Amino acid sequence: MPKESDLTIDAQTIVNQILPHRLPAQESAEAFAPANIALCKYWGKRNEALKLPLTGSLSVSLGQLGTRMRISLDDRDRLSINGTPQLAESNAYKRLFAFLDLFRVSGTAFRVESHNSIPMAAGLASSASAFAATVNTLNQLYGWDLGDSQRSILSRLGSGSASRSICPGFVEWQAGERPDGMDSTAVALESVWPEFRVGILTLSAAEKPVGSSEGMQRTLETSMLFQSWPNQVAKDLPVIREAVLQKDFKSLGPAAEQNAMAMHATMIAAWPPIIYWQPESVATLRRVHGLRADGVEVFATMDAGPNVKLLFEAKTENDLRQAFPDLKVISPFAD
Amino acid sequence: MPKESDLTIDAQTIVNQILPHRLPAQESAEAFAPANIALCKYWGKRNEALKLPLTGSLSVSLGQLGTRMRISLDDRDRLSINGTPQLAESNAYKRLFAFLDLFRVSGTAFRVESHNSIPMAAGLASSASAFAATVNTLNQLYGWDLGDSQRSILSRLGSGSASRSICPGFVEWQAGERPDGMDSTAVALESVWPEFRVGILTLSAAEKPVGSSEGMQRTLETSMLFQSWPNQVAKDLPVIREAVLQKDFKSLGPAAEQNAMAMHATMIAAWPPIIYWQPESVATLRRVHGLRADGVEVFATMDAGPNVKLLFEAKTENDLRQAFPDLKVISPFAD
């Protein structure tokens, strides 16, 4: 059911408006973009072509975890990920070069070397950092000198949550209202919180049964409870923003966990039900609730997959490493 | 947060309006009421004191599974359940005799012998059949000759879902609109469906962490997604009613499963989250989805607990007994 804006504005139109020129300034360039984890989730698009969200969202970038990319002019398109050449038939290759087609003139070919420092199977989306890194690298290669909001808009055209991978630290993606999405951009929040921690628990490397874009769409179309999701975000986003600005973990944790649970609830209520949870996901959530009952300040968040991520502060790190020996701890503000 | 009706009408007022007299017609009486499983769930009260629901619901009574009760006049109150005497301090004892106090005059004492044919730990509420059996037995003991709707109203004052345990077969509990709930009664649906089956899988005998009344209340107060629950029921109830009347399983199954999933979703989105699911619950739901992908027509429903119940037709019974060797199959229309 395309909306009016889907029919009138496409990604190429937006790119054309933003890019100052299409002449590479150098032979090769390199840039980085961090992965991010949403504390207030992005779930549901108001425009599919431009990946415009129904609501705002808020994330924390994961410091040095993300995608480092080098793009070089070449005689033909090539892509390697972590040193491994990708076939032209692979999804990663097709999706990336379709995105690059928005930016280059006919006849320009790229060698793309992408390195993810995100542990595979950690349940962290690599597409967010990959598309943001692509835009950051093109910005260097072409010498466009684009600002944060312009790079955020361009990254979004590759993957919605990539719009937030433009900045380090806490980032809010403002939903915007314009049909062309020029006001739907990420904004860095002025908050440095060195004690903030994200814990990754790799529960299952199984392929997820439903991709997040399809899950989003099915939820929007079939889940009656999704009608209340914008109200959930309207409640949570200001609380989470203020908690981030005040470094108020007691306020942040519950709001972030409830927001994530409500997102999964909208999917569970879809038809057919979208249950990203595995048995171990439930066991881990119960464990988190048990730790909290014992006075340990830890909260859970989950994205469109089975893995549970923990939110906590530095003072709780030892308790959690004991409770979860496999926990990978990320300090978003390290260095 | 009591509503006006809570403050002005109590259970005793309703009982006084319905009972023709308080003089026992015999020394002892015996009656039965079936357990029931909701296909469209009752979740959320509009009046706590009278247990008036926010929405209608629809269930199937479980044939011979339920509570057989004998009540005899005695010199003091006694309760036995399945032959075991219950202490006056037990919850079952206190709850039952508080209910009986609504009906008897001072000085009347009862010996109550209750027999549940519901397998313990099957995750089937025994309170629904117990309160309905109590009302049915009192109706005999006192010779009141009350009709279905009156017995439904009285049973509801003990436990909401007991209002549906008055009749065999498919039963709809109409929400009603009146503050005194005199129009909030169960109605038998004219549908005999001998091929209809309910399968019970006992996943966990663990005590559930949150009682269903408390869970209902917490969901109502803290779950933003619960705002959409009445819309879910408004969508599902007519579909399920029509499917029952037409014996249309292809229409019944999806609506019943989505309704149950949506109910759990409203709880998962509460704060703190109410997760009745155990890891095995998720494993079983995934198994059901897998069977369906293989062409087996089976759907799941769950109440406020971890157990998964299967809905299917006789022709699918063998497939499901193979898939779930521990499956207990109930034929609601047997005999």
Side-chain angles (χ1 to χ4, degrees):
Chain A
M1 195 174 52
K3 304 189 189 74
E4 189 192 352
S5 48
D6 289 318
L7 299 173
T8 52
I9 307 171
D10 64 6
Q12 189 65 67
T13 307
I14 302 300
V15 171
N16 294 349
Q17 281 180 36
I18 289 178
L19 297 193
H21 65 81
R22 311 262 179 159
L23 195 67
Q26 50 201 79
E27 285 289 306
S28 181
E30 192 175 315
F32 172 80
N36 75 76
I37 283 183
L39 306 174
C40 185
K41 303 296 183 187
Y42 153 54
W43 194 243
K45 301 184 184 82
R46 69 172 198 271
N47 176 308
E48 190 68 34
L50 303 181
K51 300 191 174 64
L52 297 176
L54 272 172
T55 69
S57 57
L58 195 156
S59 61
V60 61
S61 291
L62 297 184
Q64 300 307 310
L65 284 187
T67 302
R68 178 158 297 280
M69 192 174 276
R70 168 171 287 274
I71 302 182
S72 314
L73 299 175
D74 205 340
D75 59 339
R76 66 175 183 85
D77 286 343
R78 299 163 215 262
L79 168 63
S80 69
I81 298 179
N82 294 343
T84 305
Q86 306 293 305
L87 293 177
E89 294 74 32
S90 68
N91 281 334
Y93 184 105
K94 287 192 284 189
R95 195 166 166 208
L96 180 68
F97 283 103
F99 183 63
L100 286 168
D101 283 342
L102 293 169
F103 300 93
R104 59 185 172 180
V105 294
S106 169
T108 308
F110 293 132
R111 180 168 76 250
V112 180
E113 296 154 281
S114 178
H115 287 271
N116 290 320
S117 52
I118 306 162
M120 298 298 280
L124 296 173
S126 57
S127 63
S129 58
F131 283 104
T134 304
V135 169
N136 287 348
T137 310
L138 291 176
N139 190 42
Q140 301 287 333
L141 186 76
Y142 283 87
W144 290 325
D145 200 22
L146 301 173
D148 279 1
S149 0
Q150 290 174 307
R151 287 183 291 111
S152 173
I153 290 171
L154 295 177
S155 300
R156 162 170 46 79
L157 301 174
S159 168
S161 53
S163 74
R164 293 185 313 240
S165 273
I166 286 298
C167 325
F170 294 101
V171 178
E172 180 173 346
W173 176 11
Q174 297 172 336
E177 293 177 353
R178 292 175 52 149
D180 65 1
M182 287 301 191
D183 56 352
S184 183
T185 71
V187 177
L189 295 178
E190 298 280 332
S191 176
V192 177
W193 192 347
E195 300 81 13
F196 190 77
R197 295 287 181 277
V198 176
I200 307 289
L201 286 164
T202 302
L203 302 180
S204 173
E207 194 79 7
K208 59 186 176 187
V210 180
S212 60
S213 271
E214 188 194 334
M216 214 180 254
Q217 192 57 26
R218 191 197 293 175
T219 302
L220 199 144
E221 287 171 0
T222 69
S223 171
M224 188 66 78
L225 301 194
F226 186 75
Q227 293 175 341
S228 298
W229 172 249
N231 299 336
Q232 181 79 45
V233 175
K235 176 171 86 74
D236 296 336
L237 186 52
V239 172
I240 293 173
R241 183 195 302 123
E242 192 60 22
V244 159
L245 294 173
Q246 301 299 328
K247 299 193 259 179
D248 174 1
F249 189 74
K250 283 181 175 24
S251 168
L252 177 66
E257 181 171 312
Q258 190 178 19
N259 186 268
M261 293 295 107
M263 178 181 75
H264 280 268
T266 66
M267 299 186 238
I268 288 168
W271 190 261
I274 303 168
I275 304 183
Y276 282 117
W277 297 3
Q278 295 280 354
E280 314 96 283
S281 316
V282 171
T284 305
L285 289 174
R286 291 182 164 269
R287 192 101 187 271
V288 167
H289 297 169
L291 284 163
R292 222 151 55 209
D294 292 342
V296 181
E297 281 193 322
V298 55
F299 294 87
T301 187
M302 296 180 74
D303 294 302
N307 292 289
V308 177
K309 291 119 186 182
L310 306 184
L311 306 174
F312 55 97
E313 288 180 292
K315 63 183 178 192
T316 319
E317 191 170 324
N318 283 342
D319 285 348
L320 292 173
R321 283 190 187 277
Q322 285 197 356
F324 300 101
D326 296 333
L327 189 70
K328 176 168 171 57
V329 177
I330 298 167
S331 301
F333 294 90
D335 318 327
Chain B
M1 194 176 51
K3 306 190 189 69
E4 189 191 355
S5 48
D6 289 319
L7 299 174
T8 52
I9 307 172
D10 64 6
Q12 188 66 66
T13 307
I14 303 300
V15 171
N16 294 349
Q17 281 180 34
I18 289 177
L19 298 194
H21 65 81
R22 312 263 178 157
L23 195 66
Q26 49 201 78
E27 286 289 307
S28 182
E30 193 175 313
F32 172 80
N36 75 77
I37 283 183
L39 305 174
C40 184
K41 303 297 182 186
Y42 153 54
W43 194 242
K45 301 184 184 85
R46 69 172 198 272
N47 176 307
E48 190 68 32
L50 303 181
K51 299 190 175 64
L52 296 176
L54 272 172
T55 69
S57 57
L58 195 155
S59 61
V60 61
S61 291
L62 298 182
Q64 301 306 310
L65 285 187
T67 303
R68 179 158 295 281
M69 193 174 274
R70 168 170 285 275
I71 302 182
S72 314
L73 299 176
D74 206 340
D75 58 339
R76 66 175 182 86
D77 287 344
R78 299 163 216 262
L79 167 64
S80 69
I81 298 179
N82 295 341
T84 306
Q86 306 292 305
L87 294 177
E89 293 74 30
S90 68
N91 281 333
Y93 185 106
K94 287 192 284 189
R95 194 164 166 209
L96 180 68
F97 284 103
F99 183 64
L100 286 168
D101 283 342
L102 293 169
F103 300 92
R104 59 184 173 180
V105 294
S106 168
T108 308
F110 293 131
R111 180 169 75 250
V112 179
E113 295 153 281
S114 178
H115 287 271
N116 290 319
S117 50
I118 307 162
M120 297 299 281
L124 296 171
S126 57
S127 63
S129 59
F131 283 104
T134 304
V135 169
N136 286 348
T137 310
L138 291 176
N139 190 43
Q140 301 287 333
L141 187 76
Y142 284 87
W144 289 325
D145 199 23
L146 301 174
D148 279 2
S149 2
Q150 290 174 308
R151 285 182 293 111
S152 173
I153 291 170
L154 295 177
S155 300
R156 167 178 32 88
L157 301 174
S159 167
S161 53
S163 74
R164 294 185 313 241
S165 274
I166 287 296
C167 324
F170 294 102
V171 178
E172 180 174 346
W173 176 11
Q174 298 172 334
E177 293 177 353
R178 291 176 52 151
D180 65 1
M182 286 304 191
D183 56 352
S184 182
T185 72
V187 177
L189 296 177
E190 298 280 333
S191 176
V192 177
W193 192 346
E195 300 81 13
F196 190 78
R197 296 287 181 278
V198 176
I200 306 289
L201 287 164
T202 302
L203 301 180
S204 172
E207 194 78 10
K208 59 186 176 187
V210 180
S212 60
S213 271
E214 188 193 335
M216 215 180 254
Q217 192 58 25
R218 191 197 293 176
T219 301
L220 199 144
E221 287 171 1
T222 68
S223 171
M224 189 66 78
L225 302 194
F226 186 75
Q227 292 175 342
S228 297
W229 172 249
N231 299 336
Q232 180 79 44
V233 175
K235 176 171 86 72
D236 296 336
L237 187 52
V239 172
I240 293 173
R241 183 195 303 122
E242 193 59 22
V244 159
L245 294 173
Q246 302 298 329
K247 298 193 259 180
D248 175 0
F249 189 73
K250 283 184 178 17
S251 168
L252 176 66
E257 181 172 312
Q258 190 178 19
N259 185 267
M261 292 296 108
M263 178 180 76
H264 280 267
T266 66
M267 299 187 238
I268 288 168
W271 190 260
I274 303 168
I275 304 182
Y276 282 116
W277 296 4
Q278 295 280 353
E280 313 97 282
S281 315
V282 170
T284 304
L285 289 174
R286 291 181 163 270
R287 192 99 187 271
V288 167
H289 298 169
L291 284 163
R292 223 152 55 210
D294 292 341
V296 181
E297 281 193 321
V298 55
F299 294 87
T301 187
M302 296 180 74
D303 293 300
N307 291 288
V308 177
K309 291 120 186 181
L310 306 183
L311 305 174
F312 55 97
E313 288 181 291
K315 62 183 178 192
T316 319
E317 190 170 325
N318 283 341
D319 284 348
L320 292 172
R321 283 189 187 277
Q322 285 196 356
F324 300 101
D326 295 334
L327 189 70
K328 176 169 172 56
V329 177
I330 298 168
S331 301
F333 295 89
D335 318 329

